[in-house]
Amino acid sequence: SRMQSATPSSTDTDIAVSATVVEHHRLRTDLAVVRLECNSDIVPFRAGQYVDVTVPQRPNLPRRLSPALPPSMDGKLEFHVRTVPGGWVSKTIVESTSPGDVWTVGNPRGGDLHVDDTGRIVVMIAGGTGLAPLRALLLDVARRPQPPRTFLFVGARTPRDLYAADMLALLGEALPWLTIVPVT
């Protein structure tokens, strides 16, 4: 089996859902995991897509972030954000986000990143926070009656850069069809 991605596509209508930050975990000086709950409507995305996000500290600078959880009826969202050099929004999210902040989440995009059901084996490769959409896909595939044998290779420059080791270990224990291979 293989994963596919297509060119970004937007929905026919613009959406804007407000979501409140309920947790902000700063894992390192340059990396945070942010958990939110939608305030009314849920964001209509599929695992593997990304969404437009606006934070209150930079309301005129929307950014595209990939949810690290598949869609849920309870409106929970999670994003993994790493600061980038000169990144006004990423730095703000990592350094200044607090529980209670209200974000605007809109327009799912990304089209066609998904697990192809025609094969027996899935190979996923992630680097850094590129793990987020693959985690959403894994959790989505876990809902299937017979998930395919899956290998997730997670790459980083150094072992320290493998920021999600604890979460990956829990996933590996909970999902017997999943093999996680850290690569440095």
Side-chain angles (χ1 to χ4, degrees):
S1 186
R2 67 190 190 300
M3 295 190 45
Q4 299 175 342
S5 68
T7 56
S9 63
S10 65
T11 57
D12 291 337
T13 58
D14 287 340
I15 63 162
V17 173
S18 65
T20 301
V21 174
V22 294
E23 293 179 53
H24 178 267
H25 297 285
R26 193 160 177 188
L27 303 179
R28 297 196 312 248
T29 58
D30 67 340
L31 182 70
V33 172
V34 183
R35 294 189 179 104
L36 302 98
E37 290 181 5
C38 294
N39 296 335
S40 56
D41 295 326
I42 60 172
V43 180
F45 70 96
R46 293 182 315 274
Q49 286 189 300
Y50 55 91
V51 293
D52 294 328
V53 174
T54 305
V55 298
Q57 298 89 341
R58 302 276 190 225
N60 297 320
L61 295 172
R63 289 297 180 262
R64 293 178 175 168
L65 299 177
S66 296
L69 296 174
S72 66
M73 294 308 293
D74 60 4
K76 290 185 184 344
L77 296 168
E78 179 177 302
F79 298 102
H80 301 179
V81 181
R82 183 184 306 246
T83 58
V84 295
W88 291 3
V89 177
S90 62
K91 184 175 180 179
T92 296
I93 291 171
V94 171
E95 294 179 2
S96 303
T97 295
S98 300
D101 287 354
V102 177
W103 291 14
T104 301
V105 182
N107 289 350
R109 302 178 190 273
D112 203 29
L113 178 64
H114 69 281
V115 174
D116 182 349
D117 290 326
T118 62
R120 294 185 193 148
I121 296 176
V122 174
V123 175
M124 297 180 171
I125 302 171
T129 56
L131 174 62
L134 299 186
R135 178 178 176 230
L137 284 169
L138 286 170
L139 294 174
D140 193 52
V141 167
R143 297 173 178 168
R144 297 179 185 176
Q146 295 182 336
R149 184 79 180 114
T150 303
F151 295 87
L152 171 63
F153 294 85
V154 182
R157 290 182 189 202
T158 68
R160 179 186 176 278
D161 291 333
L162 293 169
Y163 75 91
D166 55 343
M167 179 268 298
L168 291 172
L170 291 172
L171 269 180
E173 290 172 14
L175 306 174
W177 45 268
L178 175 65
T179 300
I180 298 168
V181 181
V183 180
T184 57

